[in-house]
Amino acid sequence: MATAPPAGYTPTDLSTPTRSRERAAYDRATVHAILDEGYVCHLGFVRDGAPVVLPTLYARSGERLYVHGSTGSRPLRGAADDGLAVCLTVTHVDGLVLAKSAFHHSINYRSVVVHGTAYQVLDPDERAAALDAIVDHAVPGRSADSRRPNAKELASTAVIRLDLEEVSAKLRTGGPNEEPEDLELPHWSGVVPVVTSYGTPERAEIPGRDLPLPDYLPPAPRRR
Amino acid sequence: MATAPPAGYTPTDLSTPTRSRERAAYDRATVHAILDEGYVCHLGFVRDGAPVVLPTLYARSGERLYVHGSTGSRPLRGAADDGLAVCLTVTHVDGLVLAKSAFHHSINYRSVVVHGTAYQVLDPDERAAALDAIVDHAVPGRSADSRRPNAKELASTAVIRLDLEEVSAKLRTGGPNEEPEDLELPHWSGVVPVVTSYGTPERAEIPGRDLPLPDYLPPAPRRR
């Protein structure tokens, strides 16, 4: 009988923040929602002892993340052998928080930090499914409405996988924190929402092929 | 006589991408514009041999970046002594690029990657100026319209600096790349712009203090 996965990730030393611990969350629903709302992560790894952080496309499939890359890229080459220690971070900025005091200025945000070892995906079926998932993560429904990768394209595309095991979310919501003695000060305080949305799709100009906009464009907004 | 800084950063092994080198840029105007448009970076460092990537507020002042933190946070403690090897990355997503082929799907983006050693700012004047810069980087003009930090607040806030020396920008713009044989395929292709903007400011509810919205809110949009 299969055991149901636990409702949350177990905090570890690495996944416990040193500051603002009350903002940390470990439940899967919160973590999955933050991951599913984005499609660009910042992938960190160590090269010759120095940290490297690169923006990269990703997708989640269950308890696994897939990250897209070229077979020639540094993290992909590293992950091909014994796996590569990585930190994958996804951040959504929701608002600018303006307090009476300069000190209490902040931002509202939701982030997920995943620590672990990334491995190159070698199984052809898993790799093809992961590439579809990465396209569909940014534009749901798109992979089925595109020309499938051919053998040459599949050979030049690498995918790494990272299991969701050492994971934490961190969130700040709500208005500014204020010192009681600051409340009467004549400085406006509150939150300026930050909104990410999609503009009008711009069709590529291809003579004689004025195709109508598909139903899935623009993608439904996922950031408030 | 002061020597004018060179027009661009010198590419190094670390700052030369292994893929899509034609998208790399090293001129200061491009790098500064990308840095000035954002206020949240992803800061990478190495802890016990493993990479860590955390979202953090930053500001640029000339050829120096300032990053905000708590005196108790990991990167700040590391930077206090001999400096901390970091990689600071800023990314703006400008569009989803949909090609006829799944393979050529991409995003339009502008990113800056800074490699270097971060040091804690100990000089009180430089630290106070850096904290103002971080507030003003997110909301230009705001620091002057807020209660100044007191001694206790200054003591609990740390700032690290990172000089712009080993720096590269990377940009993708324009429509999808297509294989000539794909042009007739019946899949819509083009770009869906991604737009970040500000919503209506939400005033904190403080009885008897219905202050009007200051002229600098919401901040002028800096992302198209």
Side-chain angles (χ1 to χ4, degrees), chain A:
Chain A
M1 198 175 99
T3 309
Y9 303 100
T10 305
T12 65
D13 185 43
L14 254 185
S15 68
T16 302
T18 44
R19 49 187 292 239
S20 302
R21 290 188 189 190
E22 75 285 359
R23 295 180 186 166
Y26 298 93
D27 64 287
R28 287 173 202 275
T30 299
V31 166
H32 290 180
I34 294 170
L35 290 173
D36 292 353
E37 200 174 300
Y39 46 86
V40 174
C41 66
H42 281 80
L43 183 72
F45 56 98
V46 181
R47 181 182 172 230
D48 299 335
V52 178
V53 179
L54 299 178
T56 315
L57 293 168
Y58 75 94
R60 180 182 73 87
S61 177
E63 292 298 322
R64 182 165 284 182
L65 296 180
Y66 292 107
V67 177
H68 178 270
S70 150
T71 47
S73 72
R74 285 167 182 146
L76 271 290
R77 286 198 309 249
D81 303 324
D82 303 327
L84 180 73
V86 300
C87 178
L88 186 154
T89 301
V90 173
T91 305
H92 306 305
V93 176
D94 294 323
L96 307 172
V97 181
L98 280 66
K100 303 280 188 183
S101 60
F103 179 74
H104 281 301
H105 279 62
S106 186
I107 59 168
N108 283 336
Y109 66 96
R110 291 161 296 142
S111 65
V112 164
V113 176
V114 183
H115 296 277
T117 303
Y119 296 94
Q120 197 164 333
V121 176
L122 299 176
D123 178 77
D125 291 340
E126 185 181 7
R127 193 148 59 100
L131 290 170
D132 280 351
I134 290 168
V135 168
D136 287 332
H137 202 69
V139 185
R142 175 63 183 182
S143 71
D145 184 20
S146 63
R147 196 258 295 154
R148 307 284 71 213
N150 58 37
K152 184 184 158 199
E153 290 169 346
L154 281 173
S156 71
T157 311
V159 175
I160 58 177
R161 65 178 162 82
L162 173 63
D163 287 341
L164 292 174
E165 289 171 354
E166 196 163 6
V167 183
S168 61
K170 207 168 169 189
L171 303 88
R172 191 205 186 280
T173 59
N177 301 325
E178 303 283 12
E179 301 298 330
E181 62 268 28
D182 290 339
L183 286 174
E184 295 295 312
L185 293 176
H187 309 301
W188 187 94
S189 62
V191 175
V192 180
V194 175
V195 185
T196 301
S197 57
Y198 296 105
T200 305
E202 301 159 355
R203 184 170 54 196
E205 285 186 31
I206 301 172
R209 297 298 286 175
D210 286 351
L211 295 169
L213 196 67
D215 291 340
Y216 53 79
L217 288 185
R222 290 173 292 176
R223 306 260 307 261
R224 67 172 181 87

Side-chain angles (χ1 to χ4, degrees), chain B residues 25-35 110-112 169-171:
Chain B
Y26 299 94
D27 64 286
R28 287 174 201 274
T30 299
V31 166
H32 290 181
I34 293 170
L35 291 172
R110 292 160 296 139
S111 65
V112 164
K170 206 168 170 189
L171 303 89

Side-chain angles (χ1 to χ4, degrees), chain B residues 40-56:
Chain B
V40 174
C41 67
H42 281 81
L43 183 72
F45 55 99
V46 181
R47 181 182 172 231
D48 299 335
V52 179
V53 178
L54 299 177
T56 316

